[in-house]
Amino acid sequence: MSFPTCPLWRGFVEKLERAASLKSMKDADLLQRSFEAVRRLRRRDSKSLPQEIRKALCVGVQSPPERARLLSQVYWPLVLTTNYDDLFLCAAQEEFKKGNLDEPFSVLGRSPMSCQRVLSSLHESTEPILWALHGFLGGQGKPLTQTDVNQDTSHELIVGHEEYRQVTHKEPHFRRAFAEVVRNRSFLFLGTSLNDPHLLGLFEEILALGGANPLPHFAVVFKGDEIDRRYLESRLNTILIELSDYNELEPFLSQFVSAVSSARSRVSNWSYSMLAPARVSRPTDTADLELVRGRITLPQKGECVALSAGFDAKRQLLFNKSTLKFLDEARAEGLLGNTAEPELLRSGDHIARYPDSPFLIGVARDTESAWDKRDLRFVFKATFALLDEAALRGFRVLRTQLLAAGKSRHFPGRFSLTQMLRAYAAWRRVHVDGPELRMMIHIYARDATFELAAGRIDVPELLNCDDFRFWVEVSGSDAKDVERQLFFMRGDVVISQIAEKLDLEGDGWMVSVTPAPTLDEGRRSFFSVKGRTLDELGVMPGSTLRFSPGPASPDLLDSMGK
């Protein structure tokens, strides 16, 4: 899919042969030719092989081809690629900057840790993943950065026959992870060689162990392709989409993107009852909690609306363009006075009001800060305060946006959603015999609606359990030596208790949370945070709490943690 910016396989092998000063063996198998070229280059200087592959891919920084740009316009939770280049990644990054994608991809390779993260993504809400099966080399779509260096998996490069053989026989963790992905997801094969004996060997192993695949796969092929169509359809359960030639690929992708983005059958809302019996004798007309796909609507009788806002240096509230348009609609309908202005935000408060109206404002910010500082921790507090205010004023329904989930957020919208769900559940537990108040959350963030539709956000668990799931990673002295463990704990658990369970001794550790609750919170010393709770540190459902080696001096640790 990187052609014509990068050469096709034959052209790529020919460039490697020239780099290795080998005479091209045009009648030989391409895998064998690549093996000979790579062996010569490795013997000459194994450290220079990644650079030689970069040269063979393209000269200098190039723009992603149109087909990569088209693909990047679709929300893909998991992309498997055998390409080495970063062209699709760069196209997706451009879409992210435009606001068309909710978060950038994480690049993972074939290491045990990467395979574990891929498998976790099948069942829980995570960032989109680009799984580089044959290794990843940046520098084609943009100049190399430190991030690219961190993502570089050149040590996992598969080019020649020898590397293919090693993956087949020496990396059982990868084969098992690949098998589980194949059996749990439908694939769309684009630009993949479906007569590659090594790829087909992986599929044969999956079939031998697990039987016929329960999900169909799809593959774009061309009339001239030398593939066993009957085998693909009957054995691999793959539906073939046949095009006449490569010139039809981009029109097909354009049509595909349009179809995925257009109106179609999909879940429009999710409803939950907080006190549903084990056996429901008849359906209820109203749910306690409703998640609605789409932008917020004007309040009906007995309802109030909560809008998300920030604030400026004068503590005046700031709304985005869509919210300002919504307020204009409210004025046009007579629900809000033409001259009505919201209250000034007081330090320490997380809500404000439009006086004498059904409009509340949630401010998920550090309101004691001098600037508009988004803080994921305050989504819970702001939601709880909004529920209190709505109940105090006698409303039966609180209709709200996702808080702090606008385009300038530094965390995915799904984290805002999980915090609001936890706040509603906590509020209901506090007010067991209090007023009945429904909450309707209008969700426009695509990552949140996708995760709900895919079942990767467990709403009943968030509503019923005080404790929550999060990941803990412990790095050794080697950055690639990482231990990963899933924890179920309450938010009031102290960080030192986590360290004790992990047998981490001494204060020589650095601690970080992903996603960070604020933009300025990075790695901190264990010495400075060991007495804080998970809630205080900003750990929440789906977060990753990381421990990595750090300086051993308490004085230095304390200064680094501030």
Side-chain angles (χ1 to χ4, degrees):
M1 300 307 295
S2 298
F3 180 79
T5 306
C6 294
L8 296 175
W9 179 242
R10 180 177 296 277
F12 174 70
V13 172
E14 290 172 351
K15 287 187 176 183
L16 288 181
E17 287 176 330
R18 288 195 291 271
S21 303
L22 281 175
K23 184 178 179 180
S24 179
M25 301 177 291
K26 294 186 178 181
D27 295 330
D29 178 75
L30 281 174
L31 278 176
Q32 184 62 32
R33 289 169 61 183
S34 67
F35 168 68
E36 294 292 341
V38 169
R39 182 173 65 171
R40 175 74 66 88
L41 290 170
R42 285 192 190 280
R43 288 179 175 176
R44 182 186 297 170
D45 182 4
S46 61
K47 294 182 179 179
S48 68
L49 178 61
Q51 190 56 35
E52 293 296 341
I53 293 177
R54 282 193 178 94
K55 292 178 183 177
L57 289 173
C58 65
V59 179
V61 175
Q62 304 290 333
S63 296
E66 182 61 21
R67 60 193 63 178
R69 294 185 184 278
L70 287 169
L71 279 175
S72 69
Q73 295 172 20
V74 177
Y75 182 83
W76 302 100
L78 177 62
V79 173
L80 283 67
T81 180
T82 56
N83 290 354
Y84 315 111
D85 61 81
D86 64 357
L87 295 174
F88 170 78
L89 196 65
C90 290
Q93 185 67 24
E94 290 178 11
E95 291 297 319
F96 170 70
K97 290 178 179 178
K98 293 176 186 176
N100 297 329
L101 290 183
D102 298 285
E103 54 186 317
F105 281 84
S106 286
V107 178
L108 300 178
R110 297 190 314 278
S111 69
M113 175 57 62
S114 289
C115 290
Q116 290 171 23
R117 288 183 60 187
V118 169
L119 292 179
S120 295
S121 75
L122 299 180
H123 307 288
E124 65 178 23
S125 179
T126 65
E127 74 280 9
I129 291 173
L130 181 70
W131 196 12
L133 304 182
H134 288 178
F136 175 79
L137 292 171
Q140 293 74 44
K142 62 181 178 65
L144 283 173
T145 64
Q146 185 59 46
T147 300
D148 298 318
V149 174
N150 294 338
Q151 293 176 330
D152 187 308
T153 59
S154 58
H155 58 287
E156 298 179 359
L157 284 173
I158 293 180
V159 183
H161 177 80
E162 177 65 19
E163 284 88 356
Y164 279 102
R165 187 183 65 80
Q166 288 183 6
V167 168
T168 302
H169 299 289
K170 293 185 178 181
E171 296 186 5
H173 64 276
F174 165 69
R175 297 204 316 274
R176 291 168 184 169
F178 184 80
E180 190 164 342
V181 172
V182 169
R183 292 188 62 79
N184 282 275
R185 292 292 183 269
S186 285
F187 283 20
L188 172 61
F189 292 99
L190 289 168
T192 306
S193 175
L194 293 176
N195 58 5
D196 183 334
H198 299 283
L199 179 62
L200 294 179
L202 285 173
F203 281 112
E204 279 296 336
E205 179 180 327
I206 296 167
L207 288 171
L209 294 174
N213 200 55
L215 298 173
H217 301 302
F218 303 85
V220 174
V221 298
F222 302 95
K223 286 186 177 180
D225 287 347
E226 297 179 1
I227 55 175
D228 188 339
R229 286 166 168 75
R230 182 176 177 80
Y231 170 79
L232 292 171
E233 291 174 338
S234 61
R235 288 285 290 157
L236 299 186
N237 197 19
T238 301
I239 299 170
L240 303 182
I241 304 167
E242 193 159 7
L243 304 180
S244 298
D245 53 47
Y246 280 99
N247 292 327
E248 291 188 1
L249 182 57
E250 285 182 15
F252 166 79
L253 290 176
S254 180
Q255 184 180 5
F256 173 78
V257 172
S258 177
V260 170
S261 306
S262 64
R264 57 191 173 91
S265 174
R266 65 180 88 219
V267 180
S268 62
N269 65 348
W270 297 261
S271 300
Y272 302 89
S273 173
M274 298 298 292
L275 297 173
R279 294 183 179 181
V280 179
S281 58
R282 58 183 179 181
T284 178
D285 293 331
T286 59
D288 297 307
L289 173 69
E290 194 166 351
L291 311 180
V292 183
R293 184 196 294 266
R295 298 191 185 278
I296 198 165
T297 57
L298 293 173
Q300 303 299 312
K301 185 178 180 181
E303 297 182 351
C304 68
V305 161
L307 303 173
S308 182
F311 64 94
D312 61 17
K314 296 180 180 179
R315 310 201 73 77
Q316 293 180 326
L317 296 169
L318 300 174
F319 301 102
N320 61 29
K321 291 181 180 179
S322 62
T323 303
L324 290 173
K325 182 179 178 181
F326 175 82
L327 290 170
D328 287 340
E329 293 174 3
R331 290 186 176 96
E333 293 293 326
L335 297 173
L336 188 64
N338 290 329
T339 60
E341 293 292 335
E343 299 173 336
L344 289 177
L345 187 68
R346 296 180 301 181
S347 178
D349 284 357
H350 295 289
I351 66 169
R353 307 154 192 82
Y354 273 95
D356 302 320
S357 81
F359 293 93
L360 304 176
I361 302 139
V363 186
R365 305 290 200 272
D366 180 359
T367 56
E368 295 182 356
S369 170
W371 56 284
D372 189 36
K373 184 178 181 181
R374 289 175 186 258
D375 194 322
L376 188 52
R377 287 168 294 209
F378 290 127
V379 172
F380 184 102
K381 293 182 179 180
T383 305
F384 204 99
L386 287 169
L387 289 162
D388 271 343
E389 182 67 17
L392 180 65
R393 296 174 64 179
F395 291 106
R396 294 181 291 104
V397 178
L398 172 64
R399 191 184 293 270
T400 177
Q401 300 171 311
L402 281 185
L403 299 182
K407 288 187 176 181
S408 60
R409 68 181 184 269
H410 61 274
F411 50 83
R414 64 178 184 273
F415 284 95
S416 178
L417 174 60
T418 57
Q419 286 294 81
M420 294 179 73
L421 294 174
R422 292 178 67 212
Y424 182 65
W427 189 86
R428 287 293 299 259
R429 283 192 286 271
V430 171
H431 298 85
V432 175
D433 299 320
E436 292 188 6
L437 179 63
R438 294 179 60 211
M439 184 163 75
M440 301 177 68
I441 305 176
H442 290 256
I443 307 169
Y444 194 68
R446 182 167 53 175
D447 73 305
T449 56
F450 180 91
E451 301 292 358
L452 284 168
R456 298 202 302 180
I457 295 179
D458 193 334
V459 177
E461 180 180 292
L462 292 169
L463 296 176
N464 287 308
C465 300
D466 283 336
D467 50 2
F468 58 88
R469 286 184 280 172
F470 63 97
W471 289 94
V472 177
E473 293 182 0
V474 181
S475 301
S477 54
D478 182 355
K480 295 183 176 62
D481 178 20
V482 181
E483 176 187 346
R484 194 163 189 254
Q485 184 175 339
L486 184 65
F487 275 72
F488 286 78
M489 288 190 169
R490 291 168 53 98
D492 56 5
V493 171
V494 179
I495 302 302
S496 60
Q497 295 176 270
I498 306 287
E500 184 178 347
K501 287 183 176 293
L502 295 167
D503 297 321
L504 301 181
E505 298 180 354
D507 291 333
W509 295 93
M510 301 298 292
V511 181
S512 63
V513 180
T514 303
T518 65
L519 278 174
D520 60 349
E521 290 190 49
R523 293 202 314 159
R524 298 188 174 194
S525 70
F526 174 70
F527 182 78
S528 67
V529 302
K530 63 183 180 180
R532 301 179 69 181
T533 65
L534 293 171
D535 284 339
E536 291 169 345
L537 201 61
V539 180
M540 55 200 62
S543 293
T544 299
L545 176 64
R546 291 187 172 90
F547 293 86
S548 55
S553 168
D555 293 337
L556 180 58
L557 286 167
D558 191 39
S559 65
M560 293 178 70
K562 293 180 180 179

